[in-house]
Amino acid sequence: MMRRIVLEQGQRLTEALLERSGGIDSGVEDAARQIIDEVRERGDAAVREYTARFDGVTLNEFRVTPDEVAAAYEQVDACLLEALQACAARIREFHERQVQQSWFTTPRDGVLLGQQVIPIRRVGVYAPGGRADYPSSVLMNVLPAVVAGVKEIAVTAPPGASGMIVASTLVAADIAGATEIYKMGGAQAVAAFAYGTESVVAVDKITGPGNAYVAAAKKLVQGSVGIDMIAGPSEVLVLADDSAEAQLVAIDLMAQAEHDPRAAVYLVTTKAALVDGVEAELDQLLRQTTRAEITRAALSDNSVALICASLEDALAASNMIAPEHLEVLVREPLALLSRITNAGAIFFGPWTPEAVGDYSAGPNHTLPTQGTARFSSPLTVDDFVKKSSILSYTEAALRAEADDVMTLAAAEGLWAHGQAARLRVKGGAR
């Protein structure tokens, strides 16, 4: 079931060996561009037409009313409501530790320098739907914005055949603190957030995962608005030695595979026998899952077992893959912490399944995918603020540094830069 790669002692894993698929299909990007152009030109009418085409429902109004939110609470059972509230509290508590304050310093006489931290004014959060509904993603995207101090947080999600967003998504948005909720999905929702329509006020940044068309749309509008990241399919890497339990490895691989037929799962181990055991467990577990078709497709098409000669080689392979989620199932997992350099989120030990990170632990589950953990990070409070540098000089302070300014300006051939300092400290253009 899993494609096997055997690495010899010291052999480096390469992209050619890994054969990782990724990127946005050009046809998808072209389709998203057409939708964006239509929404920019025709506003609500275009959103309405695409909603009818793709979601099978004609809407007069996109914004969810307070009465509809209240009705959603009546549809959510008590256990789910309690779980959403408990998880929201943990997520908020974790993100409150990320808050940065503005700061100022006087490093030299007459010089005031600093950094002002300012919340983004208006944010749009995309809540995915389709194969599954993800109220947890709403919590993970809205709560950091709330903690950051964003005043206007608009959530959008695709409507179902009834014309309404699934109740758990509405309740999650309300619990988290969204100020507006819209019934829009796909590239048309991204376009409405990016450029505005008659009924949707444009936002300054868009966050949240979605399908390939949503990812393509976010890529295309980036620059007109900020985005969090261009998320690819979900992925997990399990780093395991012979102490790992095959059944636990198998179910954790399946927990990612069940998201999407394009989800990628990796098992990196020093023991070939573990791969055999995991495949046997997968065969048994696939007979029990309610998402067999999706899970089997991902495992058949996008699963890789890497068999390494040593734990050091296994770590090197893991760092090269730079997975979204990394589970460390070895005898002394935390001993490897300093040697893991590339991963979106790291789960240590057999009692820390990736699922707790998706829901209840607190750290954000919006993570870099497709190797981008080499240079990017999970969604944080920092994604919902912007920073301004602060500078203030007295006359004496400028006089002390003016020669340096003029010398560098002359070296760069920027006459007016030098004159801006010269006119202040020497008087006159000569």
Side-chain angles (χ1 to χ4, degrees):
M1 180 181 294
M2 302 186 78
R3 181 167 64 91
R4 298 194 187 196
I5 301 173
V6 179
L7 297 180
E8 302 299 331
Q9 180 74 43
Q11 182 182 0
R12 294 182 60 187
L13 178 65
T14 64
E15 286 289 351
L17 279 174
L18 194 60
E19 298 179 3
R20 176 160 43 188
S21 61
I24 298 172
D25 181 87
S26 60
V28 171
E29 190 165 322
D30 289 344
R33 182 179 288 107
Q34 180 178 348
I35 293 170
I36 290 167
D37 289 344
E38 287 283 331
V39 173
R40 291 189 74 175
E41 181 179 343
R42 299 194 295 115
D44 281 350
V47 176
R48 193 169 287 112
E49 289 173 15
Y50 283 117
T51 301
R53 183 189 306 182
F54 298 130
D55 299 310
V57 60
T58 300
L59 299 176
N60 293 321
E61 300 292 336
F62 301 118
R63 186 161 178 174
V64 175
T65 67
D67 286 345
E68 289 171 326
V69 174
Y73 274 91
E74 298 299 319
Q75 299 172 44
V76 172
D77 71 61
C79 288
L80 176 56
L81 179 60
E82 184 178 344
L84 287 170
Q85 291 169 333
C87 291
R90 296 187 196 107
I91 294 164
R92 180 167 191 142
E93 180 182 15
F94 179 87
H95 288 82
E96 284 173 346
R97 294 179 177 272
Q98 298 175 338
V99 174
Q100 294 188 44
Q101 303 296 327
S102 299
W103 58 266
F104 301 91
T105 184
T106 53
R108 304 176 292 282
D109 287 346
V111 176
L112 172 69
L113 303 176
Q115 179 175 271
Q116 186 176 28
V117 181
I118 309 164
I120 293 173
R121 178 188 62 87
R122 181 172 171 81
V123 166
V125 171
Y126 189 92
R131 289 190 178 92
D133 298 297
Y134 297 101
S136 59
S137 287
V138 177
L139 299 180
M140 292 288 184
N141 280 265
V142 174
L143 282 163
V146 170
V147 171
V150 178
K151 299 300 183 186
E152 298 178 21
I153 306 170
V155 171
T156 193
S162 67
M164 183 47 60
I165 298 169
V166 66
S168 59
T169 296
L170 287 179
V171 169
D174 189 62
I175 288 171
T179 57
E180 305 158 35
I181 308 173
Y182 292 90
K183 296 172 278 190
M184 304 182 299
Q188 62 271 23
V190 174
F193 271 170
Y195 302 111
T197 70
E198 297 90 332
S199 62
V200 181
V201 177
V203 302
D204 300 309
K205 188 167 189 174
I206 301 171
T207 75
N211 62 19
Y213 293 91
V214 171
K218 287 171 68 177
K219 176 183 176 183
L220 292 168
V221 302
Q222 185 177 15
S224 297
V225 292
I227 66 169
D228 52 350
M229 62 187 74
I230 302 169
S234 188
E235 60 194 21
V236 68
L237 187 154
V238 177
L239 178 65
D241 63 13
D242 60 357
S243 69
E245 188 176 331
Q247 186 181 55
L248 296 183
V249 174
I251 196 63
D252 288 352
L253 295 177
M254 284 182 63
Q256 290 306 303
E258 70 178 353
H259 274 296
D260 189 313
R262 297 173 62 223
V265 300
Y266 305 95
L267 170 57
V268 179
T269 183
T270 54
K271 294 296 178 181
L274 179 63
V275 182
D276 297 330
V278 168
E279 289 191 331
E281 292 291 346
L282 286 171
D283 186 60
Q284 293 296 318
L285 292 166
L286 280 166
R287 299 174 188 177
Q288 303 171 46
T289 178
T290 57
R291 295 173 68 82
E293 184 177 354
I294 293 171
T295 308
R296 193 180 297 277
L299 290 171
S300 298
D301 298 340
N302 307 307
S303 67
V304 177
L306 284 164
I307 302 165
C308 301
S310 67
L311 185 58
E312 198 64 36
D313 289 347
L315 278 165
S318 174
N319 284 329
M320 179 269 165
I321 294 170
E324 178 187 17
H325 307 96
L326 170 61
E327 289 194 8
V328 184
L329 300 180
V330 301
R331 283 186 174 80
E332 297 183 22
L334 285 169
L336 302 185
L337 175 57
S338 64
R339 295 152 69 188
I340 297 169
T341 56
N342 297 329
I346 310 168
F347 303 79
F348 289 100
W351 296 99
T352 319
E354 184 277 329
V356 299
D358 274 352
Y359 299 124
S360 67
N364 210 284
H365 78 197
T366 304
L367 303 167
T369 62
Q370 295 183 313
T372 59
R374 293 178 295 110
F375 52 81
S376 56
S377 306
L379 191 74
T380 70
V381 169
D382 279 351
D383 288 290
F384 297 98
V385 301
K386 53 195 180 72
K387 300 164 186 176
S388 297
S389 298
I390 306 299
L391 306 86
S392 178
Y393 274 54
T394 64
E395 177 183 345
L398 180 59
R399 288 185 181 281
E401 298 180 21
D403 285 345
D404 293 338
V405 174
M406 291 185 285
T407 298
L408 285 171
E412 295 184 354
L414 297 176
W415 177 85
H417 278 63
Q419 289 299 96
R422 182 186 300 275
L423 288 174
R424 285 172 167 81
V425 302
K426 299 188 181 299
R430 301 180 187 279

Short mmCIF file of all heavy atoms in Angstrom, two decimals, residues 45 69 134 259 289 407:
data_model
loop_
_atom_site.label_atom_id
_atom_site.label_comp_id
_atom_site.label_asym_id
_atom_site.label_seq_id
_atom_site.Cartn_x
_atom_site.Cartn_y
_atom_site.Cartn_z
N ALA A 45 -23.91 40.29 -7.84
CA ALA A 45 -24.56 39.49 -8.89
C ALA A 45 -23.69 38.30 -9.27
O ALA A 45 -24.19 37.18 -9.45
CB ALA A 45 -24.84 40.36 -10.11
N VAL A 69 -28.11 32.72 13.66
CA VAL A 69 -27.09 32.24 14.59
C VAL A 69 -27.75 31.62 15.82
O VAL A 69 -27.36 30.54 16.28
CB VAL A 69 -26.14 33.38 15.01
CG1 VAL A 69 -25.17 32.90 16.10
CG2 VAL A 69 -25.36 33.90 13.81
N TYR A 134 -15.61 22.12 9.26
CA TYR A 134 -14.51 22.25 10.20
C TYR A 134 -14.72 23.43 11.15
O TYR A 134 -14.08 24.47 11.00
CB TYR A 134 -13.19 22.41 9.45
CG TYR A 134 -12.83 21.21 8.60
CD1 TYR A 134 -13.05 21.22 7.23
CD2 TYR A 134 -12.28 20.08 9.19
CE1 TYR A 134 -12.71 20.12 6.45
CE2 TYR A 134 -11.96 18.97 8.42
CZ TYR A 134 -12.16 18.99 7.05
OH TYR A 134 -11.85 17.90 6.29
N HIS A 259 -8.73 13.35 5.42
CA HIS A 259 -9.11 14.72 5.08
C HIS A 259 -9.43 14.87 3.59
O HIS A 259 -10.37 15.57 3.21
CB HIS A 259 -7.96 15.69 5.41
CG HIS A 259 -7.96 16.16 6.82
ND1 HIS A 259 -8.96 16.92 7.37
CD2 HIS A 259 -7.05 16.01 7.82
CE1 HIS A 259 -8.69 17.20 8.63
NE2 HIS A 259 -7.53 16.65 8.93
N THR A 289 -13.52 2.39 8.90
CA THR A 289 -13.71 3.83 8.78
C THR A 289 -14.97 4.20 8.00
O THR A 289 -15.39 3.48 7.08
CB THR A 289 -12.49 4.49 8.11
OG1 THR A 289 -12.73 5.90 7.98
CG2 THR A 289 -12.22 3.91 6.74
N THR A 407 27.49 60.61 4.11
CA THR A 407 28.50 59.75 3.48
C THR A 407 27.85 58.59 2.75
O THR A 407 28.21 58.27 1.60
CB THR A 407 29.47 59.23 4.55
OG1 THR A 407 30.16 60.34 5.15
CG2 THR A 407 30.49 58.27 3.93
#
